[in-house]
């Protein structure tokens, strides 16, 4: 498979280069040149298979030509052996038509592990082949950083630098990142919000000399492999509920639009998905965009679902590219508008296409609290605030097909918010029981490119 940039100004690349490159040289994101399409029989043949088996079949077309099938199979097996549930991502029923897909049984208790565990193995493979090393630079709203640090902990070819917004992540999230004791892991607490962290990471990638000198590699969801790995659980859960002979719908707690974009990809591959519902907290730029056709940045508000406290959803660009007839110049127009005036309009035709597949809703803090309490009462299930944002939207969405809400984090990652809503203090699993006794290490830095680049160079 070959990959093209969403901004029409970077070279086509193969899978291996896409993994290492992350952000395209023109500032765009890489997407597959064409969407692979599976027949109904092919989807049907996946029934009864394991997560790892389905993962191989769904992802194979994206990797094709880059590595032998057996190598890829082994990576997948290793990646998902790190999960504590035998189903990897169990599906539970909450109500007549409501289902919960638990994506948080990986080592750092958030869905980011699903993709990161595989990406780390892919990255190591690609670096090995290129005989080079890399500085992984990642921005995190809380969960990506921990997942990346855990996934890359055995990698000999990488150092990991993570930027998180200072005092805006939960203490469990922060401690997961800052207590590793590893001399190849560096945490930067940035005096700013997540968007500032993400902007700095993009600026470092755009800074050609720095990027080359430091061998930068990216593991944010700008990296295609993240999206690719997330397509798999849409397939396993839909198949479990009767696809391809029955349609299903998904509601996804959304921040950077990576997770829900993976659902869109599987739909392009022929899996019958009815609705993809974007759920946001009060940082509702995507909900407003769907309703008005205008993408407009306002301020970021801190909520109990910090991993969704985002204004600029990077992966939305991949969708804009696809619904704009894959016209990179049109994407450049929209992204220039965003850069210059903090807003752009989506043209009528792409907007109509977008609205055929996606709907949206937002949830405020009171509703999050209520739904955590109510879900515990009616189904005995304790959910985290991100899942609660989505489940609240899912319940307000009329759906004839089964509605699957993606449950993106373990409640113990957000103990204070969960306790305030439910009265229960969720316990961390045994492998993290001493998290609050470990020594932390992080550097507080100003929101300034020179300061951050200086710190990274110094750590080499
Ligand atoms: C990252 C994250 C999200 C948002 O996912 P995107 O792919 O950025 O839209 C939602 N919930 C949790 C717990 C997360 O860590």
């Amino acid at each position: 498979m070959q990959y093209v940039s969403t901004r029409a100004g970077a070279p086509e690349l193969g899978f291996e280069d896409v993994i290492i490159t992350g952000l395209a040289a023109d500032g765009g994101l890489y997407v597959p040149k064409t969407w692979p399409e599976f027949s109904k029989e092919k989807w049907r043949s996946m029934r009864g298979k394991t997560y790892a088996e389905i993962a191989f079949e769904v992802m194979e077309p994206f990797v094709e030509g880059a590595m032998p099938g057996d190598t890829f199979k082994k990576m997948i097996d290793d990646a998902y052996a790190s999960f504590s549930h035998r189903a990897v991502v169990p599906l539970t029923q909450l109500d007549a038509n409501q289902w919960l897909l638990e994506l948080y049984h990986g080592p750092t208790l958030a869905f980011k592990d699903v993709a990161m565990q595989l990406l780390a193995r892919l990255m190591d493979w690609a670096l090995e082949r290129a005989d080079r090393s890399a500085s992984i630079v990642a921005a995190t709203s809380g969960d990506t950083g921990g997942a990346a640090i855990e996934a890359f902990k055995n990698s000999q070819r990488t150092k990991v630098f993570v930027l998180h917004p200072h005092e805006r992540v939960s203490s469990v999230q922060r401690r997961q990142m800052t207590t590793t004791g590893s001399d190849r892991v560096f945490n930067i607490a940035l005096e700013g919000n997540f968007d500032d962290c993400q902007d700095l990471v993009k600026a470092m990638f755009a800074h050609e000399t720095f990027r080359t000198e430091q061998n930068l590699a990216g593991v944010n969801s700008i990296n295609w492999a993240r999206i690719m790995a997330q397509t798999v659980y849409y397939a396993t859960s839909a198949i479990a509920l009767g696809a391809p002979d029955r349609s299903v719908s998904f509601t996804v707690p959304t921040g950077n639009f990576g997770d829900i974009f993976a659902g869109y990809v599987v739909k392009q591959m022929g899996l019958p998905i009815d609705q993809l519902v974007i759920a946001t907290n009060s940082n509702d730029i995507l909900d407003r965009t769907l309703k008005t056709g205008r993408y407009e940045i306002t301020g970021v508000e801190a909520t109990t679902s910090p991993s969704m406290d985002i204004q600029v959803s990077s992966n939305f660009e991949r969708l804009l590219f696809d619904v704009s007839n894959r016209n990179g110049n049109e994407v450049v127009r929209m992204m220039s508008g965003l850069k210059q005036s903090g807003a752009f309009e989506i043209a009528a035709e792409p907007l109509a296409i977008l609205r055929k597949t996606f709907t949206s809703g937002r949830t405020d803090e009171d509703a999050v609290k209520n739904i955590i309490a109510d879900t515990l009462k009616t189904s005995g299930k304790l959910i985290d605030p991100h899942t609660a944002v989505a489940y609240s939207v899912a319940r307000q969405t009329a759906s004839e097909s089964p509605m699957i809400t993606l449950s993106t984090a373990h409640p113990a990652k957000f103990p204070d918010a969960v306790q305030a809503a439910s009265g229960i203090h969720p316990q961390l699993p045994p492998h993290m029981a001493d998290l609050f006794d470990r020594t932390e290490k992080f550097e507080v830095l100003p929101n300034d490119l020179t300061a951050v680049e200086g710190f990274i160079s110094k750590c080499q």
Side-chain angles (χ1 to χ4, degrees):
M1 176 69 77
Q2 289 294 110
Y3 291 80
V4 295
S5 164
T6 51
R7 298 195 192 175
E12 247 180 69
L13 295 180
F15 181 74
E16 201 172 325
D17 291 323
V18 162
I19 298 298
I20 301 185
T21 305
L23 196 67
D26 58 1
L29 307 182
Y30 276 106
V31 290
K33 199 167 178 185
T34 54
W35 298 123
E37 236 184 288
F38 292 173
S39 66
K40 277 200 168 179
E41 290 85 275
K42 166 108 179 163
W43 289 116
R44 263 185 222 119
S45 74
M46 296 183 202
R47 285 184 189 150
K49 293 195 173 167
T50 65
Y51 187 88
E53 287 165 345
I54 297 177
F56 176 74
E57 292 198 24
V58 172
M59 293 188 284
E60 192 186 16
F62 298 113
V63 178
E64 216 206 321
M67 83 176 94
D70 285 349
T71 309
F72 191 40
K73 268 190 189 147
K74 167 109 184 30
M75 264 184 218
I76 292 172
D77 286 344
D78 285 354
Y80 298 112
S82 69
F83 279 60
S84 64
H85 198 289
R86 275 169 59 189
V88 183
V89 293
L91 185 64
T92 48
Q93 189 163 16
L94 292 183
D95 208 336
N97 203 41
Q98 301 288 346
W99 300 76
L100 203 66
L101 182 60
E102 297 174 18
L103 302 173
Y104 54 73
H105 295 281
T108 70
L109 312 182
F111 88 99
K112 302 290 198 298
D113 288 324
V114 178
M116 206 63 85
Q117 284 292 323
L118 185 65
L119 174 55
R121 287 162 173 89
L122 287 166
M123 184 77 80
D124 257 5
W125 162 82
L127 290 172
E128 184 104 19
R129 280 171 55 101
D131 192 23
R132 50 172 284 198
S133 55
S135 299
I136 310 273
V137 178
T140 186
S141 54
D143 293 322
T144 298
I149 288 166
E150 172 68 27
F152 282 90
K153 73 179 180 194
N154 295 321
S155 157
Q156 293 307 316
R157 290 184 175 269
T158 55
K159 284 185 176 164
V160 182
F161 296 87
V162 176
L163 285 76
H164 73 262
H166 188 37
E167 289 173 349
R168 286 183 184 234
V169 299
S170 88
S171 48
V172 174
Q173 290 178 314
R174 191 190 67 246
R175 285 183 160 272
Q176 278 183 330
M177 299 189 277
T178 59
T179 62
T180 62
S182 165
D183 57 1
R184 290 187 299 109
V185 171
F186 302 90
N187 282 283
I188 297 166
L190 193 82
E191 291 173 323
N193 58 37
F194 170 75
D195 287 329
D196 298 324
C197 296
Q198 180 158 260
D199 279 351
L200 280 183
V201 169
K202 287 189 175 172
M204 285 186 260
F205 273 90
H207 184 180
E208 194 54 46
T209 47
F210 184 76
R211 174 184 183 151
T212 328
E213 268 170 33
Q214 306 293 327
N215 281 317
L216 293 196
V219 297
N220 278 106
S221 50
I222 51 178
N223 193 311
W224 167 254
R226 290 269 308 273
I227 310 293
M228 176 185 83
Q230 289 168 11
T231 59
V232 175
Y233 47 72
Y234 285 91
T236 59
S237 57
I239 290 165
L241 294 186
D245 299 303
R246 180 161 77 150
S247 301
V248 295
S249 292
F250 290 92
T251 303
V252 185
T254 295
N256 225 349
F257 208 76
D259 204 5
I260 197 164
F261 185 72
Y264 174 82
V265 172
V266 186
K267 182 169 172 155
Q268 306 315 302
M269 292 170 73
L271 195 70
I273 295 177
D274 236 4
Q275 297 184 72
L276 286 168
V277 185
I278 302 166
T280 73
N281 62 24
S282 53
N283 298 292
D284 60 353
I285 185 165
L286 289 168
D287 182 44
R288 286 184 282 116
T289 303
L290 259 276
K291 286 175 176 135
T292 64
R294 183 175 164 80
Y295 188 96
E296 184 174 8
I297 296 177
T298 54
V300 180
E301 246 177 57
T303 70
T304 53
S305 42
S307 304
M308 297 157 68
D309 292 346
I310 291 179
Q311 281 286 322
V312 183
S313 292
S314 289
N315 282 287
F316 197 54
E317 177 168 343
R318 287 188 161 114
L319 179 66
L320 290 172
F321 178 67
D322 214 49
V323 297
S324 306
N325 228 347
R326 301 201 145 212
N327 178 348
N329 296 321
E330 179 61 9
V331 174
V332 170
R333 176 193 69 81
M334 291 186 268
M335 294 303 136
S336 314
L338 187 64
K339 197 157 185 193
Q340 278 154 28
S341 60
F344 62 82
E345 308 276 342
I346 304 173
E349 209 172 303
L351 186 62
I353 299 174
L354 203 152
R355 283 176 174 159
K356 263 193 212 148
T357 299
F358 292 90
T359 57
S360 66
R362 89 196 275 279
T363 306
D364 63 26
E365 294 291 277
D366 280 344
V368 166
K369 247 179 138 167
N370 290 339
I371 199 119
I372 292 175
D374 189 63
T375 306
L376 180 66
K377 204 161 78 195
T378 55
S379 64
K381 194 96 196 158
L382 198 55
I383 57 174
D384 97 288
H386 303 77
T387 307
V389 165
Y391 190 41
S392 163
V393 171
R395 294 227 304 213
Q396 288 158 31
T397 305
S399 174
E400 282 168 18
S401 50
M403 177 59 82
I404 302 171
T405 294
L406 301 199
S407 183
T408 47
H410 191 292
K413 263 195 125 160
F414 305 92
D416 299 340
V418 170
Q419 181 163 19
S422 68
I424 293 178
H425 188 85
Q427 292 298 317
L428 286 167
H431 76 277
M432 284 168 57
D434 68 341
L435 190 65
F436 282 82
D437 304 325
R438 299 180 198 162
T439 311
E440 287 195 82
K441 195 178 126 205
F442 62 92
E443 185 90 6
V444 181
L445 290 181
N447 177 15
D448 175 70
L449 183 62
T450 314
V452 174
E453 288 187 346
F455 175 77
I456 292 176
S457 316
K458 201 181 70 193
C459 294
Q460 297 293 352

